[in-house]
Amino acid sequence: MQPEAIRNLYGETLYFAAVRFTDAGSQTRGCLITVSAEKWRKLRRATGTVLALVLAHVILNQLVELRILVYSITAGLGIIFLLASCIFSVYKESVLAIGSLGVQVSLTYWCGYTSTLFIPLAAIGDVIINEAITMHRVVFYLAVLLGQRKDSQFKVRKLVPLFTKFSPRLPTVETAYHHIREVLYYKHEPVL
């Protein structure tokens, strides 16, 4: 499936893709949901800032020759910080839900590093759309409730938010919610 262009809460363009799959032999159902940004977007933003720092560095070096070392160190540290923030920024978040196993959450960084968290099905209480109220807006996000079962009761221990780096809008969150619920609970409830 081709990724669909969407907007996040801040108006930035993101790409959303949801793929469902079924293994015919074992009847295992799953889905892979991916939200990604353009890989080079942060580098393009930082390029302008780096050029401004270099220009300021050159101008200040010509005006004040006594402080060349201070300006060189400041400009060098600024460039290193901007490049590091570009390299270690997330450009893709994905959630892999498999009905008989659980949910795997992955973050892929611009430098190629991938961080993965696996949540077994036995630890999942529910998948919910939660809302956070900030000073200026209400933000909806997808979350997994983790906990323990005791005597047919579920005690929630932790809330694991999904897609936190890109903050997709509510319609995208709802689509991801329905895909994950269908995979994890397809024997128990129909998808709305």
Side-chain angles (χ1 to χ4, degrees):
M1 179 179 175
Q2 280 295 97
E4 172 188 347
I6 59 169
R7 299 259 182 208
N8 69 357
L9 294 175
Y10 310 107
E12 299 172 330
T13 301
L14 300 175
Y15 300 97
F16 174 77
V19 178
R20 295 182 201 170
F21 56 89
T22 304
D23 180 22
S26 64
Q27 294 298 320
T28 301
R29 297 167 54 110
C31 69
L32 175 65
I33 301 166
T34 304
V35 176
S36 61
E38 187 179 36
K39 189 171 183 178
W40 304 101
R41 76 182 165 101
K42 197 156 189 172
L43 186 62
R44 267 195 246 133
R45 284 184 188 165
T47 303
T49 308
V50 168
L51 290 175
L53 278 173
V54 169
L55 183 62
H57 171 70
V58 168
I59 291 171
L60 290 175
N61 277 340
Q62 290 177 356
L63 294 177
V64 183
E65 293 181 15
L66 297 175
R67 298 184 184 184
I68 292 175
L69 182 63
V70 173
Y71 293 127
S72 297
I73 291 172
T74 304
L77 288 175
I79 290 170
I80 289 170
F81 174 74
L82 285 172
L83 290 176
S85 70
C86 290
I87 290 171
F88 295 108
S89 65
V90 174
Y91 87 92
K92 181 169 73 172
E93 291 183 89
S94 60
V95 174
L96 174 64
I98 299 177
S100 58
L101 295 175
V103 174
Q104 176 179 303
V105 182
S106 299
L107 299 175
T108 304
Y109 294 84
W110 189 83
C111 63
Y113 175 73
T114 301
S115 168
T116 304
L117 169 69
F118 179 74
I119 305 168
L121 190 60
I124 297 174
D126 204 355
V127 178
I128 61 169
I129 295 177
N130 205 5
E131 60 184 28
I133 301 171
T134 65
M135 196 161 214
H136 302 289
R137 66 173 47 141
V138 177
V139 178
F140 295 95
Y141 62 93
L142 194 60
V144 176
L145 296 176
L146 301 181
Q148 297 175 341
R149 295 195 188 280
K150 285 187 179 179
D151 303 326
S152 74
Q153 297 261 341
F154 190 81
K155 183 177 179 185
V156 175
R157 290 182 313 158
K158 190 175 178 183
L159 180 84
V160 178
L162 307 176
F163 304 116
T164 57
K165 300 296 180 187
F166 294 123
S167 303
R169 293 185 178 175
L170 183 58
T172 307
V173 171
E174 287 175 339
T175 303
Y177 169 80
H178 290 302
H179 282 293
I180 293 172
R181 297 273 309 180
E182 179 181 352
V183 167
L184 294 179
Y185 304 111
Y186 75 96
K187 291 182 181 176
H188 305 294
E189 67 180 22
V191 175
L192 301 176

